[in-house]
Every structure is written in C-alpha cells, then in structure tokens.
Amino acid sequence: MNLELNEFQLQIAETFREFSRKHIQPHVMEWDESQHFPRELFRELGNMGAMGILVPAQYGGAGLGYVEYVLIIRELAKVCGSIALSVAAHNSLCTGHILQFGNESQKRKYLPKLATGEWLGAWGLTEANTGSDALHMKTTARREGDFWVIEGTKSWITHGRSADVAVVMARTGEPGNSHGVSAFIVERGTPGFRGGKKENKLGMRASETAEMIFEQCRVPAENLLGQPDEGFIEALQILDGGRISIAALSLGIAEGAYEAARAYAQVRYQFNQPIGHFQGIAFKLADMATQLQAAELLTMQAAVRKDAGEKITQLAAMAKYFTSELAVQVATEAVQIFGANGYTKDYPVEKYYRDAKLCTIGEGTSEIQKIVIAREALKAID
C-alpha cells in the first residue's frame, strides 16, 4: 500500500499549515479563555474548501478524499484542537451523513451551503443518559400527516447552538431496537427547535458544545434522511469515517505537543546544558517520535483504505483508539518536559494536555473502540 504523499497533497498540507499559523495561532488562548466560537473563521475555511472536503464539486465541495481530509484536520489540530474538532464534526458527521444517505433533492438543497461554510452543521445522536448506549435514546419522532414531530434533548452536540442545520437521530421504534431509529434533517428556525445549555469544558473550549432541544418540533416528511428505521445502522457507518477524523485530530494535537516539547528541550538549560541532552528527557522524545510514526501510519492507512472503498470498521476503530490514547500520553509527557512552565498558560502544552482528553471520549470512547476491534477480530475466526 502506497502511503507516499503526492505534490498536490503536500501543497494542501502546507497551505493549511500557513493558514493556521497566520489566522488561528495568534488567537488560540484568547478564544480558549473566553470560550469564543469564531464563526467567521469557518466561512474563511469554507472559501478554502475545508468545510466540504469530501463533497463532490457538483455540490460545491472540494471533491477530495480522506487522505487530504486527514492532512487538513491534522494541520489545524497542531495549532488548535478546537478549530480542528469543529471542522471535523461539520465535515464527517452532518455533511457526511447527508452526502452518504441523502436523496438527490436533499443533497442539492443542503450540501452547497454546508460545503462553502455559509451554513454550519451539527449531528445529534448523544443524549445525557444514553452516551454509548445510544439505542435507548429518549428522543422520539412520530408521524403526523406530512410531518414528523420530534420530542427530546440531544447533549454534547458540536455546534448545538450555532448550527444552521442538524442531522438528528430519533427513536421511531422500540427502545433497544437497532432498526427503530430514524434520521432527520432539521433547519435552525424550525418551530420547536432551539439550542440549550452550552457546556463549560476542560478543553476544546473554542469549539461550541451544547444541547439541542426539540419540543413538538414539526419537521416536513421530506426531511427524513436515509431509510426509515435505519438511522442507527446508517449512523454507525458515518462513525467509521468519523473515527478517522478523531484519529487525525489526535495526531495533530500529539504532534503539536511533541514539537513544542522538542523545541523547549533545546533551549531550556539546566546544569549548563540543554535539558534535551539528558537521557531522561531524550528518551521521552524518542518514545514520542516513535509512537507518532506508528499513529501516522495507522491513520493514513485507514484513510487510504476508506478512499479505496474498503470496509474500515476495525481499522478506523484501531486508528481512533491508538492515536487518541497516544495524544494524551504525548501531551502529558510534554507538560513534564516543560516542568513548572508546562503547568502555566504562558506555554502551549497545557492546552494540548486539556484538549487531548476529549479525543478518547468523543465519537466513541476508547472502551467502545476496543469492543469494536475485538468484535471484528473475532469475526475473522468464526
């Protein structure tokens, strides 16, 4: 399998590396401290094709693949995990769900606005008491004539308040039935649909996370997305691609933390020499560099196989699990290398440390990834 990047892909990475340094890095701590969600930035990213990376050109998108997608998320995450997280959620979840399961009318109506960043997307599966146990969601949808009436609350939703359109999963059958959930496209401004509590988070603070509340929300019947009662099955397919997103996000955060620690180890002097000359620090950097290579290969392999149309359920879970756990490890060691300075907001590694943890939780916890990996592994010997 060829994992070498071509000139076009290298140029994409360089373009977003420079954009991140120029337009994001100067504001990182300001946005983080105030929990400011920089909505205008995403319109700029839309102009660059970053809000419709996987969307074909006929719908206004960039028409790129998962390899390019990984490169973009990775470069953004090296500078700010929050921005990368929002771009990833918009692309792989809301936009990706409509792209993969929408009918032609739905694609033509929603994808051009989402792909250009004119509209921001959200994706609603999680609820307060049914995180990993999504099949017991409380949100319901019932058919009334030419409408579906949605009732319930979704929690921990990226862009829950600011999204212009959301893909929402609601129960249309019995609790626990994997064929009893349907997906719906709900536009902001629909009566009965509103944003709720915004979460005050440890990390990823510039990426908005909030409730979406549905009270007698009447959605036109034509806004049913995909097949009726198959929304959960379809959502699992969306999450396969989403796990590549989180792997890319994790990889970027880990690389950002590593690069900061490596640079600091060369300029921080103790006992008349750079601390990087001490074996205790040098070996930390050696472990980081080695594990980052492994994470990069695993993530890129998942992207290449996704682009080839192969089944990637196990591989995507492996990439997400390994790389997200590594991000936490690398960020922790980076803080250790910085010592007391690493515990302050004057240096960048404390933010990588805070941001990294979300990667082991969002879009399926590490424990869920291990269930997926084990289930697929055991299939091979049945």
Side-chain angles (χ1 to χ4, degrees), residues 21-82:
R21 288 173 180 169
K22 183 177 180 181
H23 298 284
I24 299 175
Q25 196 163 45
H27 308 288
V28 165
M29 292 310 297
E30 170 197 344
W31 292 342
D32 182 79
E33 289 283 297
S34 63
Q35 295 194 76
H36 173 66
F37 178 60
R39 178 65 181 89
E40 286 303 315
L41 180 75
F42 296 95
R43 293 189 176 91
E44 293 181 51
L45 286 164
N47 291 335
M48 298 172 67
M51 301 301 277
I53 300 169
L54 304 167
V55 176
Q58 70 189 87
Y59 302 116
L64 301 174
Y66 269 82
V67 171
E68 293 81 13
Y69 180 48
V70 166
L71 295 174
I72 292 170
I73 299 300
R74 180 181 175 183
E75 291 299 333
L76 294 171
K78 285 181 185 178
V79 173
C80 183
S82 294

Side-chain angles (χ1 to χ4, degrees), residues 122-124 152-154 157 160 166-168 193-196 210-214:
W123 194 75
T153 299
K154 295 295 179 178
I157 308 304
V167 171
V168 181
F193 172 34
R194 62 184 173 88
E211 292 177 326
M212 293 194 302
I213 299 172
F214 303 90

Side-chain angles (χ1 to χ4, degrees), residues 39 42-43 45-47 51-52 90 112-120 164:
R39 178 65 181 89
F42 296 95
R43 293 189 176 91
L45 286 164
N47 291 335
M51 301 301 277
H90 171 93
K113 292 181 179 180
L114 289 165
T116 58
E118 178 185 349
W119 276 19
L120 192 67
D164 299 282

Side-chain angles (χ1 to χ4, degrees), residues 349-376:
V349 289
E350 67 85 28
K351 183 176 183 298
Y352 290 121
Y353 181 80
R354 290 185 289 107
D355 286 351
K357 189 57 192 171
L358 182 277
C359 299
T360 69
I361 299 170
E363 294 196 36
T365 63
S366 291
E367 291 75 19
I368 290 294
Q369 304 313 312
K370 287 194 277 189
I371 290 173
V372 173
I373 294 164
R375 184 181 295 147
E376 293 297 314

